[in-house]
Structures are given as structure tokens and as C-alpha cells.
């Protein structure tokens, strides 16, 4: 009887470990139909954070009218791709105009983003197509939003209405 309890305990423990590992190691899926926007600041210094927002304002002002009438993420990606050099030049020009000697790079790639809510639209944890602008070393706090659909532009592009979400908390609330 004692052996049966030990064997049962070991089996239950292994099952819990297996479930936990498989639950937390799920590969996030690639999300289709969205184009995100991510600016990586050079550092966390106040000056680098301020210039990051200045770059964001100029780039949003440039891309908003170009992607405003798009009807798909694919179309928005094509427009951004056709304008990627200009987006990079705008970023560098803002840096230079504000006395910064480091450069900027712009590219389209697929990047991982955590779950975020933009004015009630929830984008789950996963990989998304994204316009990535890296200022200098790109080691500072980031700014991000969504180009398509145009969720960046809902509140003037500042991203102030962002709500952080936890998948674990959502599961707890759902099962409560």
C-alpha cells in the first residue's frame, strides 16, 4: 500500500511538472493582419527618452497619411517597406536637429510582443510584423504601438492609453 501511494505521488508530480512545462513553454503564434511599430531608445537617460518621443512624433506624422487609407496589413507593410529609407532619414534628422551624434536604423521584421491592449483592442502575446527603429545602441526603454490597424493614431500617437495584461491573471479570472 505504501509503495502504491509513493508511485501515485511520483506519477502525479511528473504529470504536474509536464503540464507546467508544456503550458509555460508554448510557442507564441505569429499574428497575422497587424503591423506594429517599435522604437528602441539609445538609453534610459532623460535626453534619450525625450528624443525617442520626438522621433516617434515625426515618424508618425510621416507614415500616418500614407497608411491611413490602407485596407490590410500587407498593404501597410508594402507602404512602409517602400518608405523605409525615408523613415530612417527622418529619424536621423530628428537626432541631428536635437544635437545627438548617434545614428538610427529602420527595418521591417517579425518581433515578439507581449499581450497589450490599445483602447480596448487586445493583441495577444506573439510574433508580429513590425517597423523597428533603433536609436543609437537601442538599450533604452522602448515605445510601441500598432500601425495597422491604425491603433497608434487613436490618441494622437502617444501610446498613453496602453493597458498591460497578464495571461496568468486572465486565466485565474476566467476560472474563478
Amino acid at each position: 500500500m505504501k509503495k502504491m501511494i509513493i508511485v501515485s505521488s511520483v506519477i502525479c508530480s511528473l504529470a504536474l511538472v509536464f503540464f507546467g512545462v508544456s503550458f509555460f513553454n508554448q510557442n507564441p503564434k505569429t499574428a497575422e493582419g497587424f503591423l506594429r511599430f517599435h522604437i528602441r531608445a539609445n538609453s534610459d537617460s532623460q535626453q534619450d527618452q525625450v528624443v525617442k518621443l520626438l522621433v516617434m512624433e515625426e515618424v508618425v506624422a510621416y507614415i500616418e497619411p500614407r497608411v491611413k487609407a490602407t485596407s490590410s496589413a500587407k498593404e501597410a507593410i508594402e507602404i512602409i517597406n517602400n518608405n523605409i529609407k525615408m523613415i530612417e532619414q527622418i529619424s536621423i534628422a530628428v537626432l541631428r536637429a536635437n544635437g545627438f551624434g548617434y545614428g538610427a536604423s529602420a527595418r521591417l521584421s517579425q518581433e515578439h510582443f507581449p499581450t497589450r491592449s490599445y483602447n480596448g483592442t487586445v493583441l495577444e502575446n506573439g510574433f508580429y510584423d513590425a517597423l523597428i527603429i533603433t536609436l543609437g545602441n537601442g538599450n533604452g526603454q522602448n515605445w510601441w504601438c500598432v500601425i495597422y490597424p491604425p491603433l497608434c493614431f487613436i490618441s494622437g500617437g502617444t501610446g498613453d492609453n496602453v493597458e498591460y495584461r497578464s495571461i496568468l491573471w486572465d486565466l485565474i479570472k476566467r476560472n474563478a
Side-chain angles (χ1 to χ4, degrees):
M1 183 68 170
K2 193 174 186 178
K3 282 185 179 181
M4 188 65 115
I5 292 173
I6 292 173
V7 169
S8 295
S9 296
V10 169
I11 290 172
C12 287
S13 296
L14 289 174
L16 285 172
V17 167
F18 175 76
F19 173 74
V21 168
S22 66
F23 178 79
F24 288 107
N25 283 338
Q26 291 177 349
N27 290 331
K29 296 193 177 7
T30 300
E32 304 262 335
F34 295 94
L35 176 59
R36 298 187 76 158
F37 183 16
H38 191 177
I39 300 179
R40 297 176 175 145
N42 180 59
S43 76
D44 286 336
S45 76
Q46 183 177 3
Q47 297 86 356
D48 284 342
Q49 290 299 309
V50 168
V51 81
K52 169 190 72 178
L53 296 177
L54 295 174
V55 168
M56 175 272 299
E57 288 173 1
E58 290 299 317
V59 171
V60 167
Y62 178 78
I63 64 175
E64 180 180 15
R66 287 162 178 77
V67 298
K68 193 174 188 176
T70 58
S71 58
S72 70
K74 183 178 178 183
E75 190 179 342
I77 289 168
E78 186 176 319
I79 290 168
I80 296 299
N81 195 42
N82 291 337
N83 289 278
I84 199 79
K85 289 295 180 198
M86 180 57 76
I87 292 167
E88 190 171 282
Q89 289 173 5
I90 290 168
S91 301
I92 293 169
V94 171
L95 292 172
R96 295 295 175 269
N98 287 280
F100 291 86
Y102 55 78
S105 64
R107 63 185 168 84
L108 282 168
S109 73
Q110 224 173 55
E111 299 258 329
H112 178 264
F113 288 85
T115 299
R116 300 288 297 259
S117 176
Y118 298 89
N119 292 336
T121 301
V122 177
L123 299 183
E124 297 296 335
N125 170 43
F127 288 88
Y128 291 81
D129 290 317
L131 166 60
I132 309 297
I133 297 176
T134 303
L135 306 177
N137 295 322
N139 293 327
Q141 292 180 28
N142 305 301
W143 178 89
W144 51 34
C145 69
V146 183
I147 295 173
Y148 187 87
L151 302 177
C152 286
F153 316 128
I154 291 173
S155 62
T158 62
D160 292 336
N161 294 327
V162 174
E163 171 188 325
Y164 294 92
R165 295 202 38 216
S166 163
I167 293 172
L168 184 58
W169 180 247
D170 288 347
L171 286 171
I172 292 169
K173 286 190 333 189
R174 193 176 310 146
N175 294 323

